[in-house]
């Protein structure tokens, strides 16, 4: 059964917010005189079309840092920076639409902005994978999700790596491949991704895609459990109790809920 998750290129429709206050955005705001000299300079550069400055101004409005808190102005400037092909602005704007934070929830808009920055930021590719995996803003397509997760994983994104491992392990979007699942669990675990630590540990414990090694299983499951991963806590408690891969220590079997 399929799982339930968790630059607009030329020619694509831009989000509605791109039409907000175009004339106002070309003029320094009335409150600019109260901003710091550095922020006043950023406002002037933003008005002249500098994407980095537009993002700086957007975040200042969003956080009320040096400018009054103004979410409408923040979205206006953030959209302008994204339309000027700034990847950092594109991923932030995509996350904003995906979460329905300061703008109406809009998964298709999130998908457009995430796709716009996939070439520059591997995290964007992972987020496109999430939307295809979940069927949010687009028809669910696990093969396409696997494609985008692989793109992110190959470029070192831990979130893409762990989700790709999950798809390989379960045969979602393609054939089951336990060796590839283990490869990507381990890659993400080595970056500190908690779910991946559990996946790598369980792979070592059961011999999924790798030679069985209870000692290595214990190492990764203990790291995951200490970080709060509940499945790892349960498995680790059993390992302490049975002394499989773990030092004999019945006392430590009890803090981990088995």
């Amino acid at each position: 059964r399929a799982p339930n998750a968790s630059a607009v290129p030329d020619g694509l429709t831009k989000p509605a917010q791109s039409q907000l206050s175009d004339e106002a955005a070309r003029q320094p705001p009335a409150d600019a005189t109260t901003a710091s000299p550095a922020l006043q300079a950023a406002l002037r550069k933003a008005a002249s079309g500098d994407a980095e400055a537009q993002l700086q101004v957007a975040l200042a409005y969003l956080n009320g840092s040096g400018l009054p808190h103004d979410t409408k102005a923040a979205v206006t400037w953030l959209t302008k920076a994204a339309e000027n092909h700034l990847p950092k602005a594109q991923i932030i704007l995509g996350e904003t639409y995906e979460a329905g934070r300061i703008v109406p929830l809009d998964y298709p808009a999130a998908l457009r902005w995430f796709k716009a920055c996939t070439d520059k930021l591997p995290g964007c590719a992972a987020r496109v994978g999430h939307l295809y995996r979940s069927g949010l803003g687009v028809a669910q397509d696990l093969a396409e999700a696997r494609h985008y997760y692989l793109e992110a994983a190959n470029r070192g994104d831990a979130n893409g790596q762990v989700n790709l491992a999950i798809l390989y392990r379960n045969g979602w979007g393609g054939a089951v491949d336990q060796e590839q699942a283990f490869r990507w669990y381990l890659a993400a675990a080595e970056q500190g991704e908690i779910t991946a630590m559990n996946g790598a540990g369980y792979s070592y414990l059961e011999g999924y895609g790798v030679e069985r090694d209870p000692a290595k299983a214990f190492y990764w499951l203990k790291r995951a459990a200490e970080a709060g991963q509940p499945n790892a806590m349960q498995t680790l408690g059993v390992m302490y109790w049975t002394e499989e891969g773990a030092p004999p220590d019945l006392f430590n079997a009890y803090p981990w809920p088995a």
Side-chain angles (χ1 to χ4, degrees):
R1 184 171 178 266
N4 290 318
S6 142
V8 171
D10 292 341
L12 292 187
T13 303
K14 297 175 182 178
Q17 274 69 15
S18 67
Q19 307 303 317
L20 290 176
S21 306
D22 283 348
E23 181 60 33
R26 287 192 287 268
Q27 303 296 328
D31 50 42
T33 56
T34 66
S36 68
L39 197 49
Q40 288 185 44
L43 284 159
R44 290 192 294 270
K45 290 174 68 177
S48 68
D50 184 282
E52 289 281 358
Q54 289 169 342
L55 177 59
Q56 182 182 352
V57 170
L59 296 177
Y61 275 121
L62 182 61
N63 298 319
S65 176
L67 289 171
H69 177 66
D70 186 334
T71 57
K72 182 176 179 181
V75 172
T76 297
W77 286 110
L78 182 59
T79 303
K80 287 182 175 297
E83 290 172 345
N84 281 328
H85 311 292
L86 186 66
K88 290 181 292 185
Q90 291 166 342
I91 193 170
I92 293 170
L93 189 57
E95 290 169 343
T96 299
Y97 280 114
E98 184 182 31
R101 184 175 60 245
I102 75 172
V103 295
L105 186 71
D106 189 337
Y107 291 122
L111 182 66
R112 289 197 299 272
W113 287 114
F114 289 147
K115 280 189 170 182
C117 56
T118 53
D119 290 343
K120 301 294 184 183
L121 298 176
C124 292
R127 286 166 172 80
V128 173
H130 292 329
L131 294 176
Y132 273 109
R133 177 180 173 180
S134 307
L136 298 173
V138 66
Q140 187 182 53
D141 187 332
L142 297 179
E144 198 71 357
R146 186 182 285 208
H147 165 78
Y148 280 102
Y149 284 142
L150 180 60
E151 182 177 337
N154 279 328
R155 292 160 63 193
D157 184 81
N159 191 269
Q161 290 168 344
V162 68
N163 281 285
L164 181 62
I166 292 168
L167 295 191
Y168 276 127
R169 168 124 321 154
N170 292 283
W172 292 332
V176 170
D177 190 328
Q178 298 294 358
E179 290 184 0
Q180 285 296 312
F182 170 73
R183 172 194 173 186
W184 292 115
Y185 272 134
L186 186 62
E190 289 173 342
Q191 296 195 65
E193 211 290 328
I194 298 171
T195 299
M197 291 178 190
N198 179 66
Y202 195 74
S203 296
Y204 276 122
L205 184 63
E206 298 296 333
Y208 288 157
V210 66
E211 185 176 352
R212 190 171 185 273
D213 189 327
K216 289 182 179 178
F218 175 77
Y219 170 79
W220 284 113
L221 290 166
K222 187 170 188 292
R223 286 190 61 184
E226 289 173 342
Q229 213 288 332
N231 293 332
M233 290 179 183
Q234 181 175 355
T235 306
L236 190 67
V238 173
M239 292 181 76
Y240 273 123
W241 184 265
T242 62
E243 301 179 14
E244 182 177 24
D249 189 344
L250 292 181
F251 177 79
N252 270 316
Y254 291 98
W256 312 106

